[in-house]
Every structure is written in C-alpha cells, then in structure tokens.
Amino acid sequence: MAAAARRAVEWISEGRAGKGFTDVGDHRAHQLARREAVDDDQIGRMKRYFSRHRHDVEAEGFRRGEASYPSPGRVAWDAWGGSAGRAWVGREKFADL
C-alpha cells in the first residue's frame, strides 16, 4: 500500500491526478505513503472507494505501457493504496465495514 501511495504522491505532484481528484484522495495518499495508522472509519472509506472505482482497472492508461499511463483513475487508485490496499480492506476482518 505504501509503495502505491508513494507513487501516487509523485504523480499528484506532477499534475497527473486530473481535475476530479479530491483533497481527500491527496490526504489518503500522503497518510498511506507515511505508513500512518488507519482507523476503522478510514478503512470503511477505503472499502467504499474501491467498491465505487473497481471499473478503473479496466480503463485505458491503468497499466504500465498503455497510452495515457498513468490515467487519473490509476493515480487515484494508487492514492487509496492500490491493489494492495483493496486486498487489505477486503480481508475478512474488515468484511463488515
């Protein structure tokens, strides 16, 4: 998660996040990049983010080597911890959030 978030922080600073990127996403990227604690409320927010944005992984520019990489969707995905973050919040102990 931290590696994905660090990547996102770099992309954000390069202006690659797109016009719809939020301050909440920016905050989450910095929080995860610094390996700060994530409370239950934040875990729930992360789970809801990944649920709403699962289609982003299918969009052009999500994968290295594709045109427009990184897409704004990829930047945001990594800001929320990337695929490692999605797996982490999806573990059984967080299933109720």
Side-chain angles (χ1 to χ4, degrees):
M1 287 187 335
R6 283 191 300 272
R7 209 171 26 244
V9 167
E10 183 176 331
W11 289 334
I12 293 163
S13 72
E14 294 171 357
R16 301 173 116 186
K19 62 183 176 183
F21 192 72
T22 67
D23 290 341
V24 174
D26 185 62
H27 173 76
R28 188 72 61 233
H30 284 87
Q31 175 189 28
L32 296 174
R34 290 188 298 255
R35 296 177 176 257
E36 293 177 359
V38 180
D39 65 29
D40 288 347
D41 179 60
Q42 293 165 338
I43 292 167
R45 289 173 187 237
M46 290 173 69
K47 187 169 187 156
R48 289 187 295 277
Y49 168 83
F50 287 118
S51 179
R52 287 191 314 271
H53 293 275
R54 64 182 171 268
H55 64 278
D56 289 350
V57 301
E58 300 165 10
E60 180 72 24
F62 190 84
R63 289 175 177 70
R64 191 180 321 269
E66 293 179 338
S68 304
Y69 177 83
S71 65
R74 175 59 188 260
V75 175
W77 184 267
D78 281 7
W80 286 82
S83 296
R86 182 174 184 243
W88 183 68
V89 299
R91 288 189 186 138
E92 190 168 328
K93 75 178 195 175
F94 302 122
D96 296 338
L97 299 176

